[in-house]
């Protein structure tokens, strides 16, 4: 069973090098080694669960969000930040409202983010990491969807340059300058 549990192993020196603000010539080789260290572990049980990523049930969205939060909280522990992702009903609602209101082009949609905030009574701070091409929009199985999400996370954490904004958000390193708060509410959704 242990061989089927997915984690993300951080390369030695990732957090320290990030904190030092090392240039890409130093940081990129360390970061890219994370792509070699990590491989998705498939689940026979998840292969039997059918899912339509753009029309997930509330339970499926929650399961995936908790799974991703667990992966990222392990990353945050390894890089030495104290902030952890917390999943709540409001964080799930926020993410789903954003997905439901995203426009039909590839970019961050400020209007959708504002609608998400309105749906839960506003937010004091927000971050968003978006990716595409890793998850099929048609009917799939939970294992395939998790594999796509896992690989998207690896790319955003270990191959994100040139500004490393996704990596900063997903690893929690970007929150150090904000006092490294203990809890960050986390939501996940897939738009159409």
């Amino acid at each position: 069973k242990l061989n089927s549990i997915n984690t993300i192993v951080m390369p030695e020196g990732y957090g320290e090098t990030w904190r030092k603000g090392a240039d890409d010539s130093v940081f990129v080789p360390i970061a890219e080694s994370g792509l070699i260290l990590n491989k998705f572990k498939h689940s026979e049980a998840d292969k039997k669960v059918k899912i339509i990523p753009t029309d997930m049930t509330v339970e499926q969205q929650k399961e995936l969000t908790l799974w991703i939060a667990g992966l990222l909280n392990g990353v945050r522990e390894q890089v030495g930040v104290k902030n952890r992702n917390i999943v709540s009903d409001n964080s799930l609602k926020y993410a789903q409202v954003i997905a439901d209101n995203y426009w039909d082009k590839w970019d961050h949609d400020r209007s959708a983010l504002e609608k998400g905030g309105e749906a839960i009574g506003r937010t004091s701070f927000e971050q968003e990491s978006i990716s595409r091409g890793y998850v099929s929009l048609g009917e799939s199985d939970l294992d395939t969807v998790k594999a796509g999400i896992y690989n998207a996370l690896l790319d955003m954490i270990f191959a994100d340059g040139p500004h490393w904004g996704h990596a900063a958000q997903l690893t929690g390193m970007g929150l150090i300058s904000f006092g490294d708060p203990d809890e960050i509410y986390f939501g996940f959704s897939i738009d159409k």
Side-chain angles (χ1 to χ4, degrees), residues 103-152:
W103 61 42
D104 222 2
K105 77 179 216 184
W106 175 244
D107 201 355
H108 296 280
D109 184 348
R110 188 81 226 147
S111 173
L113 293 171
E114 289 171 5
K115 287 178 183 172
E118 290 167 8
I120 62 166
R122 303 298 330 146
T123 61
S124 58
F125 177 74
E126 59 194 32
Q127 297 176 310
E128 175 188 43
S129 285
I130 58 175
S131 184
R132 70 173 176 179
Y134 292 88
V135 175
S136 169
L137 301 182
E139 184 174 307
S140 189
D141 62 75
L142 190 57
D143 181 71
T144 302
V145 171
K146 282 183 175 179
I149 293 166
Y150 184 86
N151 289 321

